[in-house]
Amino acid sequence: AGVLHRDVKPANVLVREGHPYLVDFGLARLVDRESRLTATQDLVGTPAYMAPEQALGQRDRVGPASDVYGLAATLYFVLSGRAPLVGAGMLDTLRKITDEVPQPLQSGDPRLDALVARCLAKDPRERCASAGELRDALRGVTNEPIHVLPFLQLGRLAQLRAPLPRE
């Protein structure tokens, strides 16, 4: 919809009547406008769910595919119970996000695992280009509406907190 959330994580997904809703648009900005509210060198987002280009402070590369990374990291968390990459502290987490590949998911559906891995790619050009493209890809994997995926336990989001690395 032309808006970058920039902080997609499990704690920012609320589930009501089986439907997930993305909330907390405090760091959001329009895709075609640069915000002057955040200084150029500031990192924006939660490290464990931040796309590599965000972690590197490459603001010119942050776009819809960055939010796709956050969506994939959130899906990874829902399916595995942990964030894709978490270090001993914030700097270690940022290093892991830019340098390491997450352990492969083992959800029981290799197509889903491959899609999540694709959307966690270091290069944003290798990910789904938008949340809509990710939605369509998920529908292609499941042949069901997203809100009724049998293996996606969205109710767990209300019980689990996103792990936040400590400095």
Side-chain angles (χ1 to χ4, degrees):
V3 175
L4 293 178
H5 189 279
R6 301 192 302 173
D7 197 23
V8 178
K9 60 185 177 184
N12 284 343
V13 177
L14 299 180
V15 180
R16 183 174 176 158
E17 297 176 9
H19 298 275
Y21 295 91
L22 186 59
V23 298
D24 190 358
F25 284 78
L27 298 177
R29 72 169 176 85
L30 296 175
V31 172
D32 59 354
R33 282 195 207 155
E34 184 61 35
S35 171
R36 300 206 192 300
L37 297 177
T38 306
T40 303
Q41 301 302 319
D42 286 352
L43 289 179
V44 175
T46 301
Y49 298 92
M50 187 180 288
E53 59 274 16
Q54 285 176 278
L56 290 168
Q58 298 172 336
R59 292 176 56 138
D60 58 322
R61 295 186 71 204
V62 174
S66 305
D67 279 352
V68 167
Y69 183 98
L71 289 167
T74 298
L75 185 54
Y76 188 104
F77 175 79
V78 171
L79 294 169
S80 70
R82 60 185 164 73
L85 295 162
V86 177
M90 183 179 70
L91 293 177
D92 190 38
T93 297
L94 294 172
R95 183 198 56 76
K96 285 179 181 263
I97 288 169
T98 59
D99 297 343
E100 296 182 15
V101 175
Q103 289 184 328
L105 271 175
Q106 296 180 340
S107 71
D109 185 334
R111 297 173 306 157
L112 177 62
D113 296 349
L115 178 59
V116 171
R118 172 184 165 205
C119 291
L120 291 174
K122 301 299 179 201
D123 186 340
R125 296 171 296 188
E126 295 177 17
R127 300 178 208 138
C128 290
S130 68
E133 186 178 314
L134 175 56
R135 177 201 59 222
D136 294 344
L138 281 168
R139 284 184 177 153
V141 166
T142 65
N143 297 319
E144 295 183 38
I146 301 309
H147 66 276
V148 295
L149 293 175
F151 51 82
L152 184 59
Q153 300 167 359
L154 286 170
R156 290 179 54 200
L157 289 174
Q159 300 167 348
L160 300 173
R161 297 267 188 241
L164 297 175
R166 293 185 177 177
E167 193 60 278

